[in-house]
Amino acid sequence: MNAFDKNTSVVIDDAQLLADEAKYSSFGDTVHYVDPPKIFRTCEGSYMVDSAGTPFLDLQMWYSAVNFGYGNKRLNNVLKNQIDLLPQVASQYLHQSRIELAKTVALDAKRKFGLDGRVHFNVGGAQAIEDSLKIVRNARNGKSLMFAFEGGYHGRTLGASSITSSYRYRRRFGHFGERAMFLPFPYPFRRPKGMTAEEYSDSCVNQFARLFETEYNGVWDPKTNQCEYAAFYVEPIQGTGGYVIPPPGFFKGLKKVLDQYGILMVSDEIQMGFWRTGKLWSIENFGVTPDIVVFGKALTNGLNPLSGLWAREELINPTVFPPGSTHSTFNSNPLGTSLGLEVIKMGYELDYETSVPKKGAHFLDGLRELQKKHKEIGDVDGLGLALRAEICTDDGFTPNKALLDRMVDIGLAGDLTHNGKKIGLVLDVGGWYKNVITFAPSLDITHEEIDLAMSLLDQLLTKAKKG
């Protein structure tokens, strides 16, 4: 059976559901991208299906939380088996998959980074960011100021909001006295005129390094050799910021400065982890060793809330970070940890390190062909199956949010066609100007589905440009 054959009979019709949602639901915990909001009924593989039975090719897979496809049978079966074995246990007790998963991640990090470390669990990406902030502040004697990037996104809890660059996430919630210092992230497509991408990358590193030249540059006390800031929070590839991919040498230059001044590097892998870029962690693509790695989302393929972090032994061992330093009733729950363990086993067994770059190259080739046909596609780029297409005016550079908004609406209307049948397209919007399609398809997407995606994007752009 595939997604198109599933029973999509409606128990409560869409109109009633939307009326009830408008009256009884908080809008504060969701985002209404389209009016009216879209309701889906079933999903499988790379597709979701609406109440009319129309399939929608999903090219964002729940913000990269469902890397391994909807209804992945292998992962679903792990969840079903765990329900019958040990469905829940209080977090003050231990169980096998919790310990196995921690060991698996730690040994993987040891092999790649050459460092001993430990794994710490929570239930959501922002919560894991909060835990990492505690580890950093504890390790740096209570220093609470952090560096982060312009365009960066780390979550919407109070602590995570303080290191997320967008003011709109903080605006209504009072003063953030511990707001991060935000530094430029090298954005190759929008680099200053006259600079190569590499020169721009170097200038961003040099701008950061300049903060330490003298005490009057603001963050460094040369008499005590102490920095006012404890850590630098990085997304190796900016997620909500528009899947911006820095030049290859950027993080090596940045890490050299961080190491020189004793500043920790925290790699936020919540969106880019679990082979999205062809590596388990996206930071692996850039040849540097982080001090902390934060992960979530695709750890359980979206089937159960679980997140976590890996940190170097000296930052997280029980002497310096003892029991009770953080807590969640549901952390390291057995449904999630059994899924996470299987995700990592499956990823290596199926060799996503080989297949993802190949599929990503095919996807990027398709985007480049579309770019030749539509001058409104100003930039395309990708690393593995994290890809971007920047939608512009016909000058190929000026951001065109309105055109992309129309594309999203048309895609979710389900009025595109394939083989004479209706089909829809699910896209995600990101970028500094909200004009970037951020592509995060299933890692199991087929080459045929990638070709279909290009055909649908071509239809979509053509319709949207007609207004």
Side-chain angles (χ1 to χ4, degrees):
M1 177 181 289
N2 61 42
F4 314 130
D5 300 323
K6 287 182 178 179
N7 180 7
T8 56
S9 60
V10 178
V11 177
I12 304 174
D13 65 34
D14 285 9
Q16 184 61 57
L17 287 173
L18 290 171
D20 289 345
E21 197 256 356
K23 185 173 182 179
Y24 300 113
S25 294
S26 165
F27 287 11
D29 64 354
T30 187
V31 179
H32 293 93
Y33 283 118
V34 293
D35 186 16
K38 187 69 183 178
I39 294 175
F40 288 105
R41 299 288 177 166
T42 63
C43 57
E44 187 169 305
S46 292
Y47 295 89
M48 293 195 292
V49 180
D50 70 5
S51 300
T54 302
F56 288 71
L57 179 62
D58 191 343
L59 297 182
Q60 63 105 15
M61 300 305 287
W62 197 3
Y63 314 114
S64 193
V66 191
N67 284 3
F68 311 100
Y70 294 114
N72 184 296
K73 287 184 171 56
R74 176 169 173 173
L75 298 178
N76 283 6
N77 285 335
V78 168
L79 182 65
K80 293 172 184 176
N81 292 338
Q82 190 64 42
I83 286 175
D84 290 333
L85 177 64
L86 181 70
Q88 60 256 116
V89 62
S91 57
Q92 68 261 43
Y93 305 119
L94 297 177
H95 55 91
Q96 180 171 322
S97 61
R98 177 198 195 280
I99 298 167
E100 277 193 281
L101 179 56
K103 179 181 178 181
T104 298
V105 173
L107 290 179
D108 186 86
K110 173 76 170 180
R111 187 175 76 253
K112 291 169 178 173
F113 304 140
L115 296 172
D116 291 322
R118 295 171 186 261
V119 175
H120 182 99
F121 293 111
N122 211 312
V123 292
Q127 288 78 8
I129 289 289
E130 294 283 343
D131 290 350
S132 74
L133 286 165
K134 281 190 171 183
I135 289 172
V136 167
R137 290 169 68 148
N138 181 65
R140 289 298 181 261
N141 300 313
K143 287 181 181 177
S144 57
L145 294 178
M146 310 294 160
F147 293 113
F149 282 122
E150 295 173 359
Y153 179 87
H154 301 286
R156 301 191 201 185
T157 56
L158 288 174
S161 293
S162 71
I163 57 173
T164 292
S165 65
S166 301
Y167 171 53
R168 72 184 181 95
Y169 301 132
R170 299 186 303 274
R171 180 179 60 82
R172 293 173 294 107
F173 305 112
H175 178 63
F176 284 69
E178 293 169 341
R179 183 172 179 255
M181 181 186 291
F182 295 98
L183 282 302
F185 188 87
Y187 189 161
F189 179 58
R190 299 196 174 275
R191 65 184 182 271
K193 290 183 179 180
M195 278 188 176
T196 66
E198 289 72 22
E199 288 170 340
Y200 179 37
S201 172
D202 290 344
S203 75
C204 290
V205 172
N206 292 337
Q207 183 175 339
F208 176 57
R210 184 176 176 273
L211 295 174
F212 303 89
E213 283 184 359
T214 76
E215 66 179 279
Y216 300 102
N217 294 86
V219 304
W220 179 249
D221 180 356
K223 292 185 177 181
T224 62
N225 288 329
Q226 284 194 32
C227 181
E228 186 178 12
Y229 289 73
F232 203 134
Y233 276 74
V234 309
E235 292 171 283
I237 296 175
Q238 290 204 325
T240 301
Y243 282 28
V244 179
I245 302 167
F250 173 68
F251 280 109
K252 284 186 177 179
L254 181 69
K255 189 64 163 58
K256 184 177 179 180
V257 179
L258 297 179
D259 289 346
Q260 183 177 352
Y261 297 105
I263 302 162
L264 301 172
M265 175 185 274
V266 183
S267 183
D268 181 340
E269 300 282 348
I270 295 165
Q271 189 163 164
M272 291 296 160
F274 301 102
W275 295 283
R276 172 55 57 197
T277 65
K279 301 288 187 182
L280 180 64
W281 310 128
S282 60
I283 195 68
E284 295 176 51
N285 294 283
F286 299 98
V288 297
T289 297
D291 298 287
I292 299 173
V293 174
V294 183
F295 52 86
K297 287 190 186 296
L299 173 62
T300 64
N301 205 41
L303 290 170
N304 191 81
L306 186 69
S307 64
L309 60 86
W310 168 90
R312 290 193 287 112
E313 174 72 10
E314 53 266 43
L315 303 176
I316 199 174
N317 71 73
T319 300
V320 299
F321 206 68
S325 295
T326 79
H327 181 73
S328 169
T329 300
F330 298 99
N331 74 33
S332 67
N333 64 82
L335 297 179
T337 54
S338 60
L339 280 164
L341 188 61
E342 192 67 21
V343 158
I344 295 177
K345 287 179 180 177
M346 183 180 75
Y348 281 118
E349 285 176 13
L350 299 183
D351 194 15
Y352 284 115
E353 286 200 8
T354 299
S355 64
V356 167
K358 289 179 180 178
K359 291 178 180 179
H362 184 59
F363 203 118
L364 189 56
D365 285 344
L367 291 177
R368 287 174 175 149
E369 288 301 312
L370 274 181
Q371 190 179 27
K372 294 176 184 177
K373 186 173 181 179
H374 297 278
K375 54 189 176 183
E376 292 81 5
I377 301 178
D379 179 57
V380 298
D381 201 0
L383 185 61
L385 281 168
L387 305 112
R388 73 190 312 268
E390 186 147 349
I391 305 302
C392 303
T393 62
D394 58 11
D395 67 5
F397 188 77
T398 304
N400 195 344
K401 178 179 181 296
L403 178 58
L404 181 50
D405 287 344
R406 288 198 296 275
M407 291 175 65
V408 170
D409 289 346
I410 293 167
L412 285 178
D415 288 329
L416 305 173
T417 58
H418 176 60
N419 290 337
K421 296 181 180 180
K422 284 189 174 184
I423 189 171
L425 192 63
V426 177
L427 302 176
D428 194 28
V429 174
W432 295 16
Y433 306 96
K434 294 294 178 279
N435 70 314
V436 178
I437 307 172
T438 52
F439 297 103
S442 166
L443 304 187
D444 291 328
I445 192 171
T446 65
H447 285 263
E448 292 75 20
E449 287 172 336
I450 293 171
D451 293 339
L452 172 60
M454 297 306 127
S455 172
L456 296 178
L457 285 167
D458 187 16
Q459 288 184 50
L460 204 55
L461 260 169
T462 301
K463 284 191 173 189
K465 286 191 290 187
K466 292 177 181 178

